[in-house]
């Protein structure tokens, strides 16, 4: 990997006069020794898996513990009522995140993005936005930096490592989709991660 920090990503963008998704794609293609078209095809397959998991949501299913299931449908009905004070987009993201998490808990198709425990975050944002490949590349690059320098595993880093990293990845991709440049993309990622500090299940020290 040619980048090992967020700053590396920004510097490579400036050095190559490239957007952040291009830097990540070129590096990924070089590391895996495949064409850039192949990288995009892999992104399409990942997005298709996310869409399939969302489309195949079954409101009648319950997890083995009987504690999860059906809440995605309740959120869908609540959004349809027009009473969600968060607005249409955030309401839809909440609904998709619940559905993805419940599909995971009910042992359906699991979309680990970047982990099974945080599976609802990235798919929910990008499925709701309906545009994806370049944003998914950016999310993967941010996740790679976090995994190399810290952790994306809830077992070792608590919720900040798992949900925090997924939120940072989603924020980076969403900022790109909103027209952000490389510096705005990495800053949004950092802000999302900082906002997750101190979650109740994070390990002390």
């Amino acid at each position: 990997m040619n980048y090992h920090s967020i700053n590396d990503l920004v510097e490579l963008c400036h050095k190559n006069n490239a957007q952040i998704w291009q830097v990540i794609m070129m590096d990924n293609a070089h590391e895996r020794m495949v064409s850039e078209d192949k990288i995009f095809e892999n992104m399409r397959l990942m997005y298709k898996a996310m869409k399939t998991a969302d489309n195949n949501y079954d409101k009648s299913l319950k997890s083995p513990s009987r504690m999860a299931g059906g809440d995605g449908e309740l959120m869908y009905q609540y959004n349809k009522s027009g009473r969600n004070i968060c607005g249409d987009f955030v309401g839809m993201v909440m609904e998709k995140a619940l559905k993805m998490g419940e599909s995971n808990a009910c042992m359906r198709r699991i979309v680990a993005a970047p982990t099974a425990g945080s599976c609802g975050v990235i798919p929910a944002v990008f499925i709701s936005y309906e545009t994806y490949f370049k944003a998914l590349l950016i999310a993967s690059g941010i996740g790679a930096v976090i995994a190399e320098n810290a952790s994306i595993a809830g077992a070792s880093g608590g919720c900040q490592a798992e949900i925090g990293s997924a939120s940072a990845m989603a924020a980076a991709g969403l900022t790109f989709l909103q027209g952000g440049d490389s510096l705005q993309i990495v800053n949004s990622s950092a802000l999302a991660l900082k906002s997750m500090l101190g979650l109740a299940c994070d390990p002390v020290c």
Side-chain angles (χ1 to χ4, degrees):
M1 206 160 73
N2 289 324
Y3 55 89
H4 304 280
S5 69
I6 299 298
N7 193 52
D8 287 348
L9 276 172
V10 175
E11 288 183 355
L12 284 167
C13 287
H14 293 319
K15 181 180 177 181
N16 296 291
N17 193 27
Q19 293 188 43
I20 198 165
W21 69 268
Q22 292 172 310
V23 168
I24 294 165
M25 180 180 65
M26 289 185 291
D27 185 76
N28 201 329
H30 176 74
E31 184 175 319
R32 296 174 55 201
M33 294 185 289
V34 297
S35 69
E36 293 178 6
D37 285 344
K38 181 66 175 175
I39 300 299
F40 266 103
E41 181 57 31
N42 286 343
M43 289 295 111
R44 287 187 187 94
L45 290 173
M46 288 182 195
Y47 185 76
K48 184 179 179 182
M50 293 175 187
K51 285 286 284 185
T52 300
D54 179 61
N55 291 336
N56 291 344
Y57 173 76
D58 185 344
K59 64 184 180 183
S60 67
L61 285 180
K62 290 286 184 184
S63 65
S65 68
R66 311 297 294 172
M67 294 177 70
D71 289 331
E73 174 65 15
L74 292 176
M75 194 70 210
Y76 168 73
Q77 295 297 337
Y78 184 64
N79 285 338
K80 274 184 66 176
S81 75
R83 291 180 292 146
N84 192 328
I85 62 171
C86 296
D88 293 341
F89 179 72
V90 173
M92 187 185 299
V93 169
M94 293 163 67
E95 174 195 324
K96 303 289 186 189
L98 281 168
K99 288 179 175 179
M100 198 69 65
E102 288 178 349
S103 294
N104 175 12
C106 295
M107 307 308 288
R108 306 268 303 200
R109 182 72 178 265
I110 296 174
V111 181
T115 63
S118 61
C119 66
V121 179
I122 292 170
V125 170
F126 295 150
I127 288 170
S128 298
Y129 203 95
E130 288 294 346
T131 184
Y132 34 86
F133 302 144
K134 294 175 184 177
L136 280 173
L137 276 167
I138 291 169
S140 70
I142 297 296
V145 169
I146 295 171
E148 180 176 338
N149 292 285
S151 174
I152 59 172
S156 62
C159 278
Q160 202 212 345
E162 202 157 19
I163 299 296
S165 58
S167 297
M169 293 162 69
L174 192 55
T175 302
F176 165 76
L177 294 171
Q178 290 288 306
D181 61 24
S182 59
L183 199 55
Q184 290 169 324
I185 288 167
V186 299
N187 281 334
S188 70
S189 180
L191 285 169
L193 197 56
K194 288 175 184 177
S195 296
M196 295 290 171
L197 284 168
L199 292 176
C201 57
D202 286 343
V204 177
C205 301

